[in-house]
Amino acid sequence: MSGTTPRNTLRTIHKPHKKMNEHCHCDHHGEHAVSPYEQAFAKFDLHLHDEQVSAAVHRLIDENKAKYDTDEVKRQLLGTVELTTLKVTDSQESVLQFTERVNKFADAHPDLPHLATICVYPNFAKIVSETLEADNVEVACVSGGFPSSQTFIEVKTAETALAVHDGATEIDCVLSVGQFLSGDYETCADEIAEIKAACAGRPLKVILETGALQTAENIKRASILSIYAGADFIKTSTGKIEPAATPEAAYVMCQTIREYYALTGTKIGFKAAGGVSTVDDALSYYTIVREILGEEWISEGLFRIGTSRLANLLVSDILGEECKPF
């Protein structure tokens, strides 16, 4: 593959399925064909060592986080929050109350940044979209068999289309981790592309479930695959398994986004989710994004934090008094 690999080209391989380490028969010139997955991976630095990644990200945080511990940054962080409720006990009534708290907060504090989104299960898209009054807050839905991604692609796309029909303006889906770890990159890419098509132009965030991927190299390969298959954001975790978000995973994902931007000029968003529960945690992820990707990722809404607890802590910190608006 010469030049830049266009996004969404990874899904163009047809049956029979080929894993990355399988080669086609010789072509007309007697050379082995290389799969699009290998071609895409070859454009990135995959020589990663987990210990070196850990040392590098902790050094980056230690050297830079203090300068971002400011009121201005905490206000920016409030604007990155995807206020999330993904509980088995969620109901129409509880989600309505959840949305009303966001409306009341926006009315009471017009001087503070609005939240980025309310994130709910797909069956609650309609009630959120119909009752959300706070300006510029998106309606995000987890879809595609969240949190395991273990269902039929027809179910994944139907669930996504129904969520969008009911008012979802953003979709979060989970990479088929089992297929990825088995080397079936084609199925992973095809599914992301089909879910992206079902989004009907809405942004798609692909959750890598980095704790299940285990190694920095796997996280980078999953990031590359997801981006080329159509992800507008890559996201760390569902929050349903441990470890969830880690600075190491964020570091690798942001490095991949930076390399992809250098190759294509296209900016992909990053979302940290799963266990981001303190202001100090949020400052760590802000530092990684700011130092690797730059301030424009934050100002352009390309950095998000999925959380159910952080928003209250940020508001309390900014206002200088304990409060729990959400």
Side-chain angles (χ1 to χ4, degrees), residues 4 40-48 220 223-224 227-228 251-268 292-293 297:
T4 299
F41 294 150
K43 294 179 177 292
F44 295 79
D45 178 13
L46 290 171
H47 300 291
L48 303 180
K220 188 152 193 179
S223 297
I224 296 164
I227 291 169
Y228 276 98
Y251 182 86
V252 172
M253 293 165 71
C254 288
Q255 290 281 9
T256 307
I257 291 168
R258 185 175 72 177
E259 290 178 48
Y260 183 78
Y261 179 64
L263 284 168
T264 67
T266 298
K267 294 176 180 175
I268 301 298
I292 295 176
L293 297 174
W297 255 258

Side-chain angles (χ1 to χ4, degrees), residues 3 65 83 124 132 145 149 155-156 186 217 239:
K65 184 163 69 173
L83 194 67
F124 299 118
L132 181 62
S149 194
V155 173
K156 295 180 183 184
E186 182 176 11
E217 182 176 336

Side-chain angles (χ1 to χ4, degrees), residues 124-151:
F124 299 118
K126 187 172 184 179
I127 193 166
V128 175
S129 65
E130 289 181 347
T131 59
L132 181 62
E133 298 172 354
D135 292 337
N136 301 312
V137 179
E138 303 294 336
V139 181
C141 284
V142 294
S143 184
F146 180 93
S148 67
S149 194
Q150 297 286 16
T151 190

